[in-house]
């Protein structure tokens, strides 16, 4: 039953965000794997539209926060408000107490605001003063950033990047897809347009997450998954170019994320077991924001994705 509901939501997202099936699938993987998602791409690629469509398909509160340089931590977490009629301070919750948070242009906020997100994303709680407040059981941060504009932006610290389950890099659509987008914005009906399904209940999401964690993964496939992450930390054992390109590899959090995302992808595709193909499909999204390239790699014009492709080629597939 849950699988059918997720498939209906997937079809709806594909009809709302044209030509980005990998993006819409990754949104659902993030929901199933109980993680946060960072989406990077030029303006106008429907990043915000996709998150809005996902929020409509899930039972829960949705809140959008436009990140700006003058944003304060209390604007996210909330603050204690003095009530003169009672002479007491009362905590007023901030937007982070919603279920789905769209952090729009997250890299426009300074470090003190980014640090306010760390505790929320990692521990699902917020500390204000002497009191710690738990966040909702269903809690997701879906962040966007624009790679083109560098003025007035602040690079996300590695500690925060590691909190994101995946990072997706979006590109411009093909010509036929752009024609469909044009017709959609004019209000014309497209072939295969899907009506919005009944929103997924939170109990269904938690039940689906349990099924995902129970998805079978063979010991050989599990070892393969671990070796892919280890290769980012010990590149000299795999390829001479990797040793020159990588300064730091991924943390154990990457191993956990790779396992959960591969299970979620298998479950979404109607299987109760994980294959190496599942791992390879999500590997770039899980790893690209967690590895740190060397100055040599940057001088050579090597990207994180190119380094990850070498890892996939060098680690033997079971």
């Amino acid at each position: 039953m849950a699988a059918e509901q997720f498939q209906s939501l997937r079809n709806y997202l594909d009809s709302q965000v044209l030509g980005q099936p990998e993006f819409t699938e990754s949104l659902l993987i993030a929901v199933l794997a109980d993680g946060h998602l960072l989406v990077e791409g030029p303006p106008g690629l429907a990043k915000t539209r996709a998150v809005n469509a996902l929020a409509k398909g899930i039972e829960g509160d949705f809140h959008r926060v436009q990140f700006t340089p003058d944003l304060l931590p209390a604007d996210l977490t909330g603050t204690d408000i003095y009530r003169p009629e009672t002479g007491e301070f009362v905590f007023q919750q901030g937007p982070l107490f919603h279920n789905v948070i769209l952090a729009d242009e997250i890299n426009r906020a300074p470090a003190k605001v980014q640090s306010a997100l760390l505790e929320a994303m990692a521990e699902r709680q917020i500390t204000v003063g002497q009191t710690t407040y738990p966040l909702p059981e269903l809690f997701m941060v879906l962040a966007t950033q624009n790679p083109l504009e560098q003025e007035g932006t602040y690079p996300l610290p590695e500690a925060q990047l590691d909190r994101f389950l995946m990072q997706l890099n979006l590109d411009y659509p093909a010509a036929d897809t752009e024609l469909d987008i044009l017709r959609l914005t004019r209000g014309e009906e497209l072939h295969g347009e899907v009506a919005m399904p009944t929103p997924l209940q939170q109990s269904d999401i938690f039940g689906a997450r349990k099924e995902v964690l129970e998805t079978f993964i063979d010991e050989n496939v599990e070892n393969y998954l671990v070796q892919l992450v280890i290769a980012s930390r010990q590149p000299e054992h795999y390829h001479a170019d990797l040793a020159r390109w990588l300064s730091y590899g991924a943390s154990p959090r990457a191993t956990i994320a790779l396992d959960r995302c591969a299970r979620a992808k298998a479950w979404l595709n109607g299987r109760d077991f994980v294959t190496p193909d599942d791992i390879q499909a999500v590997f770039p999204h899980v790893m690209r924001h967690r590895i740190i390239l060397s100055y040599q790699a940057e001088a050579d014009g090597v990207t994180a994705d190119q380094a990850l492709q070498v890892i996939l080629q060098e680690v033997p597939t079971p």
Side-chain angles (χ1 to χ4, degrees):
M1 181 66 177
E4 294 175 2
Q5 291 174 308
F6 268 89
Q7 189 59 50
S8 297
L9 180 56
R10 183 179 188 172
N11 294 338
Y12 171 69
L13 291 176
D14 285 337
S15 73
Q16 294 299 303
V17 186
L18 304 179
Q20 299 280 10
E22 194 171 19
F23 178 25
T24 55
E25 181 185 56
S26 295
L27 286 172
L28 296 181
I29 288 175
V31 173
L32 289 167
D34 191 15
H36 313 290
L37 194 63
L38 178 62
V39 184
E40 183 173 297
L45 293 187
K47 299 186 293 293
T48 304
R49 179 185 176 90
V51 175
N52 278 322
L54 175 67
K56 290 177 183 176
I58 293 177
E59 178 209 26
D61 300 323
F62 168 71
H63 195 92
R64 173 178 175 172
V65 182
Q66 189 67 47
F67 277 56
T68 55
D70 61 346
L71 200 68
L72 297 173
D75 295 329
L76 295 180
T77 61
T79 188
D80 290 322
I81 303 295
Y82 181 69
R83 303 291 187 192
E85 61 272 16
T86 62
E88 297 177 342
F89 283 92
V90 178
F91 179 66
Q92 182 171 307
Q93 295 182 349
L96 288 183
F97 284 87
H98 292 77
N99 298 113
V100 181
I101 311 297
L102 170 58
D104 213 3
E105 295 191 281
I106 190 172
N107 57 333
R108 290 199 175 278
K112 61 183 178 181
V113 177
Q114 304 297 348
S115 64
L117 278 173
L118 288 178
E119 183 183 16
M121 293 174 66
E123 302 174 41
R124 309 299 172 94
Q125 65 183 28
I126 286 173
T127 302
V128 177
Q130 302 294 321
T131 309
T132 298
Y133 302 93
L135 292 172
E137 187 177 359
L138 177 62
F139 174 71
M140 290 181 61
V141 175
L142 303 171
T144 69
Q145 65 179 10
N146 175 2
L148 301 182
E149 294 183 58
Q150 299 303 320
E151 186 176 345
T153 62
Y154 303 82
L156 299 184
E158 282 73 16
Q160 184 174 4
L161 285 172
D162 203 30
R163 261 75 172 179
F164 283 102
L165 182 79
M166 293 187 289
Q167 177 185 332
L168 298 180
N169 292 346
L170 302 187
D171 204 353
Y172 293 110
D176 55 343
T177 301
E178 193 137 356
L179 187 60
D180 286 337
I181 293 171
L182 187 62
R183 291 166 177 165
L184 184 65
T185 56
R186 288 202 301 252
E188 298 179 21
E189 289 190 13
L190 299 179
H191 176 70
E193 192 167 354
V194 179
M196 189 179 80
T198 304
L200 273 167
Q201 302 296 305
Q202 291 191 24
S203 58
D204 295 328
I205 294 174
F206 299 142
R209 286 177 177 175
K210 186 177 179 182
E211 290 182 20
V212 167
L213 289 175
E214 293 171 352
T215 303
F216 175 75
I217 179 167
D218 185 78
E219 186 176 348
N220 290 330
V221 177
E222 200 169 38
N223 286 331
Y224 172 64
L225 183 152
V226 172
Q227 287 305 314
L228 287 173
V229 179
I230 295 293
S232 72
R233 301 178 203 156
Q234 302 173 0
E236 66 279 1
H237 296 160
Y238 292 88
H239 198 281
D241 285 340
L242 280 178
R244 291 189 299 109
W245 293 342
L246 297 181
S247 291
Y248 292 96
S251 72
R253 192 181 276 125
T255 309
I256 297 169
L258 190 56
D259 175 69
R260 290 195 171 191
C261 290
R263 290 173 189 262
K265 182 173 177 61
W267 186 87
L268 271 177
N269 290 317
R271 284 182 281 105
D272 59 0
F273 60 93
V274 177
T275 68
D277 288 341
D278 296 320
I279 296 171
Q280 292 165 4
V282 299
F283 179 70
H285 308 318
V286 170
M287 296 285 289
R288 65 166 58 98
H289 57 297
R290 290 185 162 98
I291 60 173
I292 299 179
L293 297 178
S294 66
Y295 292 115
Q296 182 66 51
E298 293 179 9
D300 293 344
V302 175
T303 65
D305 282 4
Q306 288 172 328
L308 294 173
Q309 284 304 314
V310 174
I311 290 178
L312 286 175
Q313 291 166 12
E314 293 299 319
V315 177
T317 306

